[in-house]
Amino acid sequence: MPDLQNDLILITCASGKQSSALIPHILRSYQNIRLQCNSDTSAKSLSQKYPNTEVVQADLFNASDCTRILKDVTVCWLVLPPFHPHETTLGVTFIDACIAQKEARGSFAHLVYSSVIHPILQKLLNHDCKRYIEEYLIESGLSYTILQPTHMMEMLPLAKLMQDEKPIYPCNWDPKTKFSFVTTKDVGEAAAKVLENREKHVAATYQLVSTASPLNYVEACAIVSKVIGKEVKAEQRGFEDAVNTSIKMINGGKEPPKAMKEIGSRMFLYYNERGLIGNNNVLGWLLGRETTGYEEWVKLKVEEIKSGQN
Ligand SMILES: NC(=O)c1ccc[n+]([C@@H]2O[C@H](COP(=O)([O-])OP(=O)(O)OC[C@H]3O[C@@H](n4cnc5c(N)ncnc54)[C@H](OP(=O)(O)O)[C@@H]3O)[C@@H](O)[C@H]2O)c1
C-alpha cells in the first residue's frame, strides 16, 4: 500500500492540462508533493497556487535535471512536453534516471506514464515516439502503469468562443472527421485512482476515452451552440495556416523548430483523414462511474468560465 504520509510524489509538466487536473486530487491524498515545470512563469504561478508543495524547474531533455528532480521520489506521474523533437530520448532518459535512483537503494517504487491512445500508429510521429517509451518502460524492471489518453476536449478554446460575437472554431483538419474525446477531468481522476492505489494497477495499460461514441467538430460545435445559446461554426483553416499558427502557440508563441512543425503537420494530415477513435469502457471501469459526455463537459466548462475559475 502507498504510504501517503511519507511517500514523495513527483508530478511532471505540472503546469500542463493533464497535471493541472490531477493535482487537486493528489493534494487531498499525498502529503509530500513535488511539482515539475520548465519555465520561470509556471514556477511562479505553481508556487502561488500550491504553497504546500515543492516546485522544481527542469528540462526533461537534460539527464542531470531528471536525476535531480527524482531525488527521494517514491512515485512519479510522467507527462512529456508536446511535440518535443526528441520525445523518445526524453522518456528513455527519464526511465533510466528512475532505474538509477532505485538501484542506488533509493525510494523509487512506481512510474505512471501518461502516453497516448494507439502509440502503435506509425504515421503519427507524436504517437510513434511514445511506442518506444512504452516498450522501454515495460522492459525496465520498474513497477509501472501506462495511461493512454485520446484527443482532449480541452483543445477547444471554449472561453474565446463564448466571448466572440460570431464565433468560428478554426479547425486544423476536416471538421467532419470523427474523434473519441477525453476530458482532463476524467484523466486527472483516473490518474489519481492509479497513484493512490498503485499496487492494484502494476503492469496495466489503460486506454482513456470519455465519449461513448465518436463525434466530429461540426457536432461538437453544435453542442456548444446549444449550451451557450449562440451559433458556433467549425471551419477548416488552410494547412499552412494551421501548421504555422497552432505549432507556434504550442511552442509558447516562439517560432518552432522545423522538427516540431513536422510532427504537427503530420498530425493534422492524419487527423484530416482518419481522426482518432477508441472506447470508453476501460475509463468507466477505472472511474467507477459514467465517463463525461461532450455536452456534460461543455456545461461544466461554461459554468467554470462564467464563475472565473478557468
Ligand atoms: N492534447 C491532446 O489532445 C493530447 C492527447 C493525448 C496525449 N497528449 C500528450 O500529452 C502531453 C502533453 O501534456 P499536456 O497536454 O498536459 O501538457 P501541456 O498542457 O501542453 O503543457 C506542456 C507542459 O510541458 C512543460 N514543458 C515544456 N517543455 C519542457 C521541457 N523541455 N522539459 C520539461 N517540461 C517541459 C511545460 O512547462 P512550462 O509551463 O513550465 O513551460 C508544461 O507543463 C504530450 O506528450 C502529448 O503528446 C496530448
Side-chain angles (χ1 to χ4, degrees), residues 156-186:
L156 190 81
L158 195 51
K160 182 171 184 326
L161 297 174
M162 284 166 70
Q163 262 173 22
D164 290 351
E165 205 180 317
K166 290 186 176 168
I168 295 176
Y169 172 55
C171 199
N172 290 330
W173 47 83
D174 183 349
K176 292 191 289 306
T177 312
K178 299 266 186 188
F179 284 81
S180 295
F181 289 83
V182 71
T183 163
T184 58
K185 173 178 170 284
D186 289 355

Short mmCIF file of all heavy atoms in Angstrom, two decimals, residues 156-186:
data_model
loop_
_atom_site.label_atom_id
_atom_site.label_comp_id
_atom_site.label_asym_id
_atom_site.label_seq_id
_atom_site.Cartn_x
_atom_site.Cartn_y
_atom_site.Cartn_z
N LEU A 156 -10.42 22.64 -27.37
CA LEU A 156 -11.39 23.61 -27.90
C LEU A 156 -11.30 24.91 -27.08
O LEU A 156 -11.46 24.87 -25.86
CB LEU A 156 -12.81 23.04 -27.81
CG LEU A 156 -13.87 23.86 -28.55
CD1 LEU A 156 -13.85 23.53 -30.04
CD2 LEU A 156 -15.26 23.59 -27.99
N PRO A 157 -11.07 26.06 -27.74
CA PRO A 157 -10.94 27.33 -26.98
C PRO A 157 -12.31 27.88 -26.59
O PRO A 157 -12.79 28.88 -27.13
CB PRO A 157 -10.22 28.24 -27.98
CG PRO A 157 -10.62 27.73 -29.32
CD PRO A 157 -10.91 26.26 -29.18
N LEU A 158 -12.93 27.20 -25.64
CA LEU A 158 -14.33 27.49 -25.28
C LEU A 158 -14.52 28.94 -24.79
O LEU A 158 -15.50 29.60 -25.17
CB LEU A 158 -14.79 26.48 -24.23
CG LEU A 158 -16.27 26.37 -23.97
CD1 LEU A 158 -17.07 26.19 -25.23
CD2 LEU A 158 -16.54 25.21 -23.02
N ALA A 159 -13.61 29.42 -23.97
CA ALA A 159 -13.75 30.79 -23.43
C ALA A 159 -13.80 31.80 -24.57
O ALA A 159 -14.60 32.73 -24.56
CB ALA A 159 -12.61 31.09 -22.47
N LYS A 160 -12.94 31.62 -25.56
CA LYS A 160 -12.90 32.55 -26.69
C LYS A 160 -14.20 32.45 -27.51
O LYS A 160 -14.78 33.48 -27.90
CB LYS A 160 -11.69 32.26 -27.58
CG LYS A 160 -11.58 33.23 -28.74
CD LYS A 160 -10.29 33.11 -29.50
CE LYS A 160 -10.16 34.17 -30.60
NZ LYS A 160 -11.37 34.57 -31.27
N LEU A 161 -14.66 31.24 -27.72
CA LEU A 161 -15.90 31.05 -28.49
C LEU A 161 -17.07 31.72 -27.77
O LEU A 161 -17.97 32.28 -28.40
CB LEU A 161 -16.18 29.56 -28.72
CG LEU A 161 -15.13 28.81 -29.55
CD1 LEU A 161 -15.43 27.32 -29.59
CD2 LEU A 161 -15.04 29.35 -30.97
N MET A 162 -17.05 31.66 -26.43
CA MET A 162 -18.13 32.30 -25.65
C MET A 162 -18.08 33.81 -25.78
O MET A 162 -19.10 34.48 -25.80
CB MET A 162 -18.02 31.90 -24.17
CG MET A 162 -18.51 30.48 -23.90
SD MET A 162 -18.01 29.91 -22.27
CE MET A 162 -19.03 30.93 -21.21
N GLN A 163 -16.86 34.33 -25.88
CA GLN A 163 -16.66 35.80 -25.95
C GLN A 163 -17.04 36.36 -27.32
O GLN A 163 -17.61 37.44 -27.41
CB GLN A 163 -15.18 36.12 -25.75
CG GLN A 163 -14.79 36.52 -24.37
CD GLN A 163 -13.26 36.62 -24.29
OE1 GLN A 163 -12.58 36.78 -25.29
NE2 GLN A 163 -12.75 36.49 -23.08
N ASP A 164 -16.66 35.64 -28.38
CA ASP A 164 -16.80 36.18 -29.74
C ASP A 164 -18.26 36.38 -30.13
O ASP A 164 -19.12 35.57 -29.78
CB ASP A 164 -16.12 35.25 -30.76
CG ASP A 164 -14.60 35.26 -30.62
OD1 ASP A 164 -14.08 36.11 -29.86
OD2 ASP A 164 -13.95 34.40 -31.24
N GLU A 165 -18.49 37.46 -30.87
CA GLU A 165 -19.86 37.77 -31.29
C GLU A 165 -20.36 36.74 -32.29
O GLU A 165 -21.48 36.23 -32.18
CB GLU A 165 -19.88 39.17 -31.92
CG GLU A 165 -21.22 39.85 -31.84
CD GLU A 165 -21.14 41.22 -32.48
OE1 GLU A 165 -20.15 41.94 -32.24
OE2 GLU A 165 -22.06 41.55 -33.23
N LYS A 166 -19.51 36.44 -33.30
CA LYS A 166 -19.87 35.41 -34.30
C LYS A 166 -18.79 34.33 -34.25
O LYS A 166 -17.87 34.32 -35.08
CB LYS A 166 -19.95 36.03 -35.69
CG LYS A 166 -21.16 36.95 -35.83
CD LYS A 166 -21.31 37.43 -37.25
CE LYS A 166 -22.58 38.26 -37.34
NZ LYS A 166 -22.69 39.00 -38.58
N PRO A 167 -18.89 33.42 -33.28
CA PRO A 167 -17.78 32.50 -33.05
C PRO A 167 -17.57 31.46 -34.15
O PRO A 167 -18.53 30.83 -34.61
CB PRO A 167 -18.15 31.81 -31.73
CG PRO A 167 -19.58 32.08 -31.50
CD PRO A 167 -19.99 33.25 -32.33
N ILE A 168 -16.30 31.35 -34.56
CA ILE A 168 -15.92 30.32 -35.54
C ILE A 168 -14.73 29.56 -34.96
O ILE A 168 -13.73 30.18 -34.56
CB ILE A 168 -15.52 30.96 -36.89
CG1 ILE A 168 -16.73 31.66 -37.51
CG2 ILE A 168 -14.96 29.91 -37.85
CD1 ILE A 168 -16.43 32.42 -38.79
N TYR A 169 -14.86 28.22 -34.89
CA TYR A 169 -13.72 27.42 -34.43
C TYR A 169 -12.86 27.08 -35.64
O TYR A 169 -13.29 26.35 -36.53
CB TYR A 169 -14.20 26.15 -33.72
CG TYR A 169 -13.05 25.21 -33.40
CD1 TYR A 169 -11.96 25.66 -32.66
CD2 TYR A 169 -13.05 23.90 -33.85
CE1 TYR A 169 -10.89 24.83 -32.38
CE2 TYR A 169 -11.98 23.04 -33.56
CZ TYR A 169 -10.91 23.53 -32.83
OH TYR A 169 -9.85 22.71 -32.57
N PRO A 170 -11.61 27.59 -35.69
CA PRO A 170 -10.75 27.31 -36.84
C PRO A 170 -10.11 25.92 -36.69
O PRO A 170 -9.12 25.75 -35.99
CB PRO A 170 -9.70 28.42 -36.78
CG PRO A 170 -9.66 28.85 -35.34
CD PRO A 170 -10.92 28.42 -34.67
N CYS A 171 -10.70 24.94 -37.34
CA CYS A 171 -10.26 23.55 -37.16
C CYS A 171 -9.00 23.29 -38.02
O CYS A 171 -8.94 23.69 -39.17
CB CYS A 171 -11.41 22.64 -37.61
SG CYS A 171 -11.28 20.98 -36.99
N ASN A 172 -8.04 22.60 -37.41
CA ASN A 172 -6.77 22.32 -38.11
C ASN A 172 -6.88 21.16 -39.09
O ASN A 172 -5.89 20.77 -39.70
CB ASN A 172 -5.67 22.03 -37.10
CG ASN A 172 -5.26 23.26 -36.32
OD1 ASN A 172 -5.34 24.38 -36.84
ND2 ASN A 172 -4.85 23.07 -35.08
N TRP A 173 -8.05 20.57 -39.19
CA TRP A 173 -8.28 19.45 -40.10
C TRP A 173 -9.75 19.47 -40.51
O TRP A 173 -10.50 20.36 -40.07
CB TRP A 173 -7.89 18.11 -39.44
CG TRP A 173 -8.44 17.98 -38.05
CD1 TRP A 173 -9.68 17.59 -37.69
CD2 TRP A 173 -7.76 18.30 -36.82
NE1 TRP A 173 -9.83 17.63 -36.33
CE2 TRP A 173 -8.66 18.06 -35.77
CE3 TRP A 173 -6.47 18.75 -36.51
CZ2 TRP A 173 -8.32 18.26 -34.44
CZ3 TRP A 173 -6.13 18.96 -35.17
CH2 TRP A 173 -7.04 18.70 -34.16
N ASP A 174 -10.18 18.48 -41.27
CA ASP A 174 -11.58 18.43 -41.72
C ASP A 174 -12.50 18.33 -40.49
O ASP A 174 -12.43 17.34 -39.75
CB ASP A 174 -11.74 17.20 -42.63
CG ASP A 174 -13.15 17.11 -43.22
OD1 ASP A 174 -14.04 17.85 -42.76
OD2 ASP A 174 -13.34 16.27 -44.12
N PRO A 175 -13.36 19.31 -40.28
CA PRO A 175 -14.21 19.26 -39.07
C PRO A 175 -15.26 18.15 -39.12
O PRO A 175 -15.97 17.96 -38.14
CB PRO A 175 -14.86 20.65 -39.03
CG PRO A 175 -14.70 21.23 -40.38
CD PRO A 175 -13.54 20.56 -41.05
N LYS A 176 -15.31 17.43 -40.23
CA LYS A 176 -16.28 16.30 -40.29
C LYS A 176 -15.62 14.96 -39.94
O LYS A 176 -16.26 13.93 -39.94
CB LYS A 176 -16.92 16.24 -41.69
CG LYS A 176 -17.84 17.45 -41.96
CD LYS A 176 -18.69 17.31 -43.20
CE LYS A 176 -17.93 17.40 -44.51
NZ LYS A 176 -17.09 18.60 -44.68
N THR A 177 -14.34 14.99 -39.61
CA THR A 177 -13.66 13.74 -39.20
C THR A 177 -14.01 13.42 -37.74
O THR A 177 -13.99 14.32 -36.88
CB THR A 177 -12.13 13.89 -39.32
OG1 THR A 177 -11.83 14.43 -40.59
CG2 THR A 177 -11.42 12.56 -39.16
N LYS A 178 -14.30 12.17 -37.48
CA LYS A 178 -14.75 11.77 -36.12
C LYS A 178 -13.58 11.52 -35.16
O LYS A 178 -12.55 10.96 -35.56
CB LYS A 178 -15.56 10.47 -36.22
CG LYS A 178 -16.82 10.58 -37.07
CD LYS A 178 -18.03 10.90 -36.23
CE LYS A 178 -19.30 10.87 -37.08
NZ LYS A 178 -20.47 11.33 -36.38
N PHE A 179 -13.83 11.86 -33.91
CA PHE A 179 -12.85 11.62 -32.84
C PHE A 179 -13.53 11.02 -31.62
O PHE A 179 -14.71 11.31 -31.36
CB PHE A 179 -12.22 12.95 -32.37
CG PHE A 179 -11.21 13.49 -33.32
CD1 PHE A 179 -11.61 14.21 -34.44
CD2 PHE A 179 -9.85 13.28 -33.13
CE1 PHE A 179 -10.69 14.71 -35.34
CE2 PHE A 179 -8.92 13.77 -34.02
CZ PHE A 179 -9.34 14.49 -35.13
N SER A 180 -12.79 10.25 -30.87
CA SER A 180 -13.19 9.93 -29.49
C SER A 180 -12.46 10.95 -28.63
O SER A 180 -11.26 11.15 -28.79
CB SER A 180 -12.73 8.53 -29.11
OG SER A 180 -13.38 7.58 -29.89
N PHE A 181 -13.20 11.59 -27.74
CA PHE A 181 -12.61 12.64 -26.90
C PHE A 181 -12.45 12.15 -25.46
O PHE A 181 -13.21 11.30 -24.99
CB PHE A 181 -13.52 13.87 -26.86
CG PHE A 181 -13.60 14.66 -28.15
CD1 PHE A 181 -14.45 14.27 -29.17
CD2 PHE A 181 -12.83 15.80 -28.32
CE1 PHE A 181 -14.54 15.01 -30.35
CE2 PHE A 181 -12.90 16.54 -29.49
CZ PHE A 181 -13.77 16.15 -30.51
N VAL A 182 -11.50 12.78 -24.76
CA VAL A 182 -11.40 12.58 -23.32
C VAL A 182 -11.31 13.97 -22.69
O VAL A 182 -10.83 14.90 -23.34
CB VAL A 182 -10.17 11.71 -22.94
CG1 VAL A 182 -8.84 12.44 -23.14
CG2 VAL A 182 -10.26 11.20 -21.49
N THR A 183 -11.81 14.10 -21.47
CA THR A 183 -11.59 15.36 -20.77
C THR A 183 -10.51 15.16 -19.70
O THR A 183 -10.42 14.08 -19.09
CB THR A 183 -12.88 15.92 -20.10
OG1 THR A 183 -12.50 16.90 -19.14
CG2 THR A 183 -13.71 14.85 -19.43
N THR A 184 -9.73 16.20 -19.47
CA THR A 184 -8.66 16.10 -18.46
C THR A 184 -9.27 15.87 -17.07
O THR A 184 -8.60 15.38 -16.18
CB THR A 184 -7.79 17.37 -18.45
OG1 THR A 184 -8.61 18.49 -18.19
CG2 THR A 184 -7.07 17.56 -19.76
N LYS A 185 -10.56 16.24 -16.92
CA LYS A 185 -11.25 15.97 -15.65
C LYS A 185 -11.24 14.46 -15.39
O LYS A 185 -10.93 14.01 -14.28
CB LYS A 185 -12.68 16.51 -15.77
CG LYS A 185 -13.61 16.18 -14.65
CD LYS A 185 -14.98 16.84 -14.92
CE LYS A 185 -16.03 16.36 -13.98
NZ LYS A 185 -16.53 15.01 -14.29
N ASP A 186 -11.58 13.66 -16.40
CA ASP A 186 -11.57 12.20 -16.25
C ASP A 186 -10.14 11.66 -16.17
O ASP A 186 -9.87 10.72 -15.41
CB ASP A 186 -12.31 11.54 -17.43
CG ASP A 186 -13.82 11.78 -17.39
OD1 ASP A 186 -14.31 12.36 -16.40
OD2 ASP A 186 -14.51 11.37 -18.36
#
